[in-house]
Every structure is written in C-alpha cells, then in structure tokens.
Amino acid sequence: METPDSLSAKFEGSFAYFTVKDRLPQILTKVIDTVHRNKNKFLEEYGVEGIEAEKKAISFFSKLRNEMQTDKPILPLTDDQPDTHIWNRYLDYQETLLGKGEQPSWFRSPWLYVECYLYRRVQEGLLSSPPICKFDVFREAKNESFFQSQPAMLALCTDLHELKRNMESLSRDQSRKEFYRLLQVSLWGNKCDLSISGGLDNSQKSSILSSLESLQPFILVDNMESLWNILSKSRDGSTEKDSRIRVDIVLDNAGFELVTDFVLADAILSLKLVSEVHFHGKCFPWFVSDTTRHDFNWTVRQCLAANHKWMSKCGQTWKENLEKGCWVYHENMFWTLPHEYCSMADTAPDLYTELQKSDLILFKGDLNYRKLTGDRKWDFTVPFSQALTTFHPAPLCSIRTLKADVQVGLRPGIGEQLTASEPDWMISGKYGVIQFSPTV
Ligand code: F6P
Ligand code: MG
C-alpha cells in the first residue's frame, strides 16, 4: 500500500488549515503578550539590556506571525544550535518534495512540519534576544494549569496512597484492574493540553477517578490487555529475559497529565510490574504545555512541598525514585525535531538504540501519535503496526486523546459512523485510544 498524503493546511477547511490560519497565530499573540507583560521582570534582572531584549523578541515574533499569516516561504534557521543544520536539511528535503520553483510555505507544506517549525522559531527568537534567551514563554501557563488542577491531583495522590496501603493483599486480578484504572487516568489526563485550547486554561477541575466508567465507551481502541500481558509475565517470572523490566514513557504535557503519568509510573513500580521507568522530555518549550526538564523537576518539588499529606508523600517517593535510579529522566533533541518517528533510526540512532532497551514504550498524547503515524491521511482501518512503517524499536503503545484528524486501527465502519454522527470526533479530545503494536 502506498503511503498516503501528509495532512496540510493546503486542504482548505481541514483542521490543519484552521490551525495554521487561526490557532497558531493566536498562540503567537499570547507569546508576544507574555513577553511584554514580563518587561519589568527583565528590567529588574538585566537593566536596560533586558528592555532591549524584550523589544527585539517582540519584533521577531510579530514578524513571524506575519510570515505565517501571509503564507511566506519557510526560512532557514540562523542560530547555531546542535539541531540547526538538521532543521535546515529538512527544509531542503521539503523543497525536493515540491515541484520545480516551488518553495515550502506555511499553508502548503505538511502541517506536522510547519507546526513544529513554529515552536523552533519561537526558540530562535529568544536565542537571538540575549539576555532573555532562556525565558520559557509558556511557563506561566503551565504553572497556572498545575495549580488549577490541584483538587484533581490531590484526589489522585490520595487514591495512590490507598492503593499502596493495600498492595500486599491484592490478588493478581485486582492488580490488573488497578493497572487498567491508572492507565485510563493517564489517558484522560491527555485532554488537558494548552495547545489545543490556544494557550487558554484547560485544566482538570474535578477528580477523574469517578468518571472512568462513564468514559469507557469513548476509548475507541483498548489494548490494555496486551500491556498487562507483557508486564505481568515479567512479574510471574515467566520471561526469558533477566528480571529487570523497563518501561519508557515518552512524556507529553506538564500539569495534570504529568501527575497522572507519575502516578502510573509509581503504581507499576510498586505493583512490581516493572523495575525501571525511563521518562523522555523536551529540550526546550514545545507545543505550549509539553514537559521540559525544568517542568519535570518543578512538578516533583511542588508535590513534595504541598500542604497535603498524601501529595507530599508522593513527591517524596518520586524524588527518591529519581535518586535511586529506578526513575530516569532523558532528553534528546529528536523529540523537538519535525521528523516522523520512522526516520528516528537514521536521524537519531542513539535514541533508537536507547529505546530498543525497553520492554514497553508508552507514547503519551496527540503529537506523538501524529509523529508515529507520519500525520497522514490513512484509512481508519489500516493496522497501527503498518502506519508505523519502519518504527519498531520495542513493543509500544500510544495513549492519546484524539485532537488531530489522523486515526488508524479502527474496526471497519466505526470511523465512518462517527464522522456522520459527530463531525469533530477526531479533534474534540472526547475520544481516546490505548493502542498497542508488538515489535514486528
Ligand atoms: O495543534 C495541533 C496539535 O498537535 C493537536 O493535534 C493537539 O491538540 C495539540 O497540538 C497537542 O496535543 P498533545 O499535547 O496531546 O500532543
Ligand atoms: Mg502536548
């Protein structure tokens, strides 16, 4: 079967078109506003140089917004970061995909590429505005979303404490149910990203635990059993491999979603389903709410410092897990490149080799799904393993709520049925998948 077309804003009326036309300019406007609101902070920290930098960054971002809105050609990056040449090579490659004389541009190129490029250009804008190069334009929004989700997080931490208290007496079947429950919490945690809401508040206000049953019909692909089969085998000692079982979580959003991922990682460790959890985060601020190293450590510290016994206990355990090395945080610039994951083995062989050490890789969120499947117009029934093309480093699973119009691996008729009854089913975040692919 031929690889289908990439989603792109060139298809008028598509979600990609709407994103490039409205949502991305809205995000850039918020970026400009944030930099401007922090003018006094820059003045206090750096004096007049800080003010100059604020002006320079704002003018960069305004120009960028204009380039996007008027469908100007995509420009090569001008900074000298370790990934600069990779981005510029990718731009050359995009050019070769077009007809002679055509140039990649915001509305004509693949959506995945231009959306990633926007966040890299924001980074370029800051890097070219010293001394505010390290300013995270999305941090305020991320922190705010963390604090607004506090009640839901407290409920989750209390629930985890109860689970751990009763752990010794759990039957195998009860352990499986607990695992399924926390996988679903981590799935619905993915609703809370700040990119889909254009940077506006999208936090989890109520406890998700009591809604799990009513949300179950919205899980379109449920491969939880395949995950349990991998992890429980290891617990029963029936694997041929040595007994160290490693799960990798390719993180998505900070805030509530990250806490749901921590809770899942804590539970699978405590249930002795795994011995190591490896987390993968972003090297710079990305898609508004994605987790950077700073967000990761900040979240552990905030939980530890919380004025709530079980949340603080969670923070303490998570800090110790990191110190003991049974939780490991990784960074790789590949995660902030525009490449589909099928090119990881060539573009980032070090990362591919690292992921091959895993017994199970969990890819959180919508953007990871888009990169796994190449963000293409696949038929709904194409098997997930086929849409991954050559990307099979280890058994893997996507845990994602649907916020972009790409979906594979559905039973015949389901996609068509949903399109007829709910035209926005692929972008509303109402539906989710826990979709597994074995190593092929
Ligand atoms: O704006 C496009 C997009 O990729 C959407 O598909 C999605 O809403 C969002 O950005 C990122 O979602 P997530 O945080 O789940 O990867
Ligand atoms: Mg995200």
Side-chain angles (χ1 to χ4, degrees):
M1 188 195 179
E2 255 182 54
T3 321
D5 276 348
S6 302
L7 300 178
S8 166
K10 72 180 173 202
F11 301 112
E12 265 184 56
S14 67
F15 186 55
Y17 174 78
F18 166 64
T19 298
V20 179
K21 185 172 136 322
D22 295 338
R23 292 173 57 234
L24 299 185
Q26 189 186 339
I27 286 171
L28 262 184
T29 303
K30 280 215 119 217
V31 166
I32 293 170
D33 176 60
T34 305
V35 173
H36 186 62
R37 267 189 301 100
N38 279 275
K39 194 173 173 175
N40 286 339
K41 173 179 137 75
F42 301 145
L43 177 67
E44 272 165 36
E45 278 177 35
Y46 309 109
V48 273
E49 261 189 87
I51 298 289
E52 296 293 309
E54 179 249 6
K55 274 198 216 129
K56 194 163 177 206
I58 288 183
S59 122
F60 185 101
F61 297 140
S62 308
K63 190 164 163 287
L64 177 60
R65 186 175 50 189
N66 184 267
E67 283 168 28
M68 179 163 49
Q69 288 180 310
T70 54
D71 194 22
K72 290 282 181 318
I74 302 290
L75 302 174
L77 296 174
T78 55
D79 52 33
D80 62 348
Q81 295 298 299
D83 63 349
T84 308
H85 69 286
I86 307 179
W87 278 94
N88 290 345
R89 219 171 40 217
Y90 199 78
L91 172 57
D92 293 341
Y93 162 68
Q94 288 299 325
E95 206 161 333
T96 62
L97 298 181
L98 297 168
K100 269 214 160 49
E102 279 194 73
Q103 275 182 302
S105 74
W106 290 90
F107 280 82
R108 302 160 64 84
S109 293
W111 172 32
L112 178 61
Y113 170 45
V114 296
E115 192 168 13
C116 292
Y117 173 76
L118 167 75
Y119 291 94
R120 182 58 179 80
R121 286 291 303 276
V122 169
Q123 186 64 5
E124 185 192 36
L126 289 162
L127 289 168
S128 66
S129 310
I132 63 166
C133 312
K134 294 236 164 83
F135 181 65
D136 180 346
V137 285
F138 303 122
R139 186 165 297 156
E140 284 175 9
K142 286 185 274 192
N143 291 359
E144 206 175 303
S145 127
F146 175 91
F147 290 117
Q148 276 167 349
S149 308
Q150 201 95 355
M153 292 178 192
L154 297 182
L156 214 48
C157 292
T158 308
D159 183 82
L160 179 63
H161 166 73
E162 282 301 309
L163 166 65
K164 286 165 88 170
R165 209 163 56 92
N166 300 318
M167 207 151 266
E168 294 306 318
S169 59
L170 288 187
S171 67
R172 187 187 153 85
D173 200 45
Q174 284 168 324
S175 297
R176 182 177 56 81
K177 285 193 179 135
E178 289 301 328
F179 173 60
Y180 288 0
R181 216 164 56 89
L182 295 178
L183 269 176
Q184 290 171 73
V185 168
S186 169
L187 165 66
W188 298 119
N190 179 246
K191 267 190 181 180
C192 305
D193 85 86
L194 294 168
S195 159
I196 193 78
S197 59
L200 302 173
D201 173 29
N202 194 17
S203 51
Q204 179 67 34
K205 305 281 185 319
S206 58
S207 166
I208 220 165
L209 293 157
S210 52
S211 320
L212 290 183
E213 216 174 292
S214 58
L215 288 171
Q216 204 130 29
F218 300 105
I219 304 181
L220 299 176
V221 180
D222 172 358
N223 294 154
M224 291 195 289
E225 199 181 333
S226 305
L227 310 191
W228 172 255
N229 288 341
I230 291 183
L231 301 185
S232 61
K233 253 192 228 145
S234 67
R235 190 170 82 151
D236 302 345
S238 52
T239 47
E240 283 162 26
K241 220 171 154 275
D242 64 30
S243 57
R244 291 201 73 72
I245 294 297
R246 162 173 171 171
V247 162
D248 284 58
I249 305 184
V250 182
L251 293 170
D252 186 7
N253 303 304
F256 181 68
E257 180 170 1
L258 181 59
V259 172
T260 66
D261 297 335
F262 282 164
V263 168
L264 176 66
D266 187 338
I268 55 179
L269 203 59
S270 309
L271 286 164
K272 300 201 171 50
L273 295 170
V274 304
S275 33
E276 292 165 35
V277 182
H278 292 245
F279 298 93
H280 301 264
K282 307 294 190 297
C283 294
F284 59 82
W286 187 248
F287 278 68
V288 187
S289 41
D290 280 22
T291 307
T292 60
R293 184 187 289 278
H294 177 278
D295 300 323
F296 186 91
N297 293 328
W298 181 88
T299 305
V300 173
R301 282 201 307 274
Q302 283 299 320
C303 291
L304 179 58
N307 189 15
H308 179 280
K309 195 169 173 190
W310 305 128
M311 189 169 198
S312 171
K313 179 85 177 53
C314 279
Q316 180 63 32
T317 308
W318 301 343
K319 180 171 171 266
E320 285 165 13
N321 286 346
L322 288 163
E323 285 162 359
K324 283 189 283 193
C326 46
W327 278 17
V328 184
Y329 182 84
H330 299 253
E331 235 170 27
N332 191 296
M333 70 178 170
F334 184 78
W335 303 119
T336 44
L337 288 175
H339 298 60
E340 303 170 21
Y341 289 164
C342 61
S343 75
M344 184 191 287
D346 290 330
T347 316
D350 52 335
L351 178 61
Y352 195 82
T353 310
E354 186 62 42
L355 292 180
Q356 283 180 310
K357 297 179 194 159
S358 187
D359 293 280
L360 175 66
I361 314 168
L362 305 178
F363 284 89
K364 289 298 314 284
D366 197 65
L367 179 62
N368 273 325
Y369 196 80
R370 293 175 59 196
K371 289 185 162 191
L372 284 165
T373 56
D375 209 35
R376 291 171 184 280
K377 295 182 164 192
W378 294 103
D379 283 345
F380 297 132
T381 50
V382 164
F384 185 37
S385 297
Q386 189 180 325
L388 293 167
T389 67
T390 56
F391 185 67
H392 301 284
L396 63 88
C397 180
S398 161
I399 301 181
R400 160 254 184 172
T401 57
L402 279 61
K403 292 176 279 185
D405 37 10
V406 53
Q407 183 58 53
V408 295
L410 296 185
R411 275 177 289 118
I414 299 287
E416 290 73 11
Q417 218 172 296
L418 283 164
T419 307
S421 58
E422 283 177 67
D424 70 344
W425 67 282
M426 279 199 280
I427 54 167
S428 61
K430 173 174 164 189
Y431 291 91
V433 294
I434 299 180
Q435 193 163 26
F436 175 73
S437 165
T439 327
V440 291

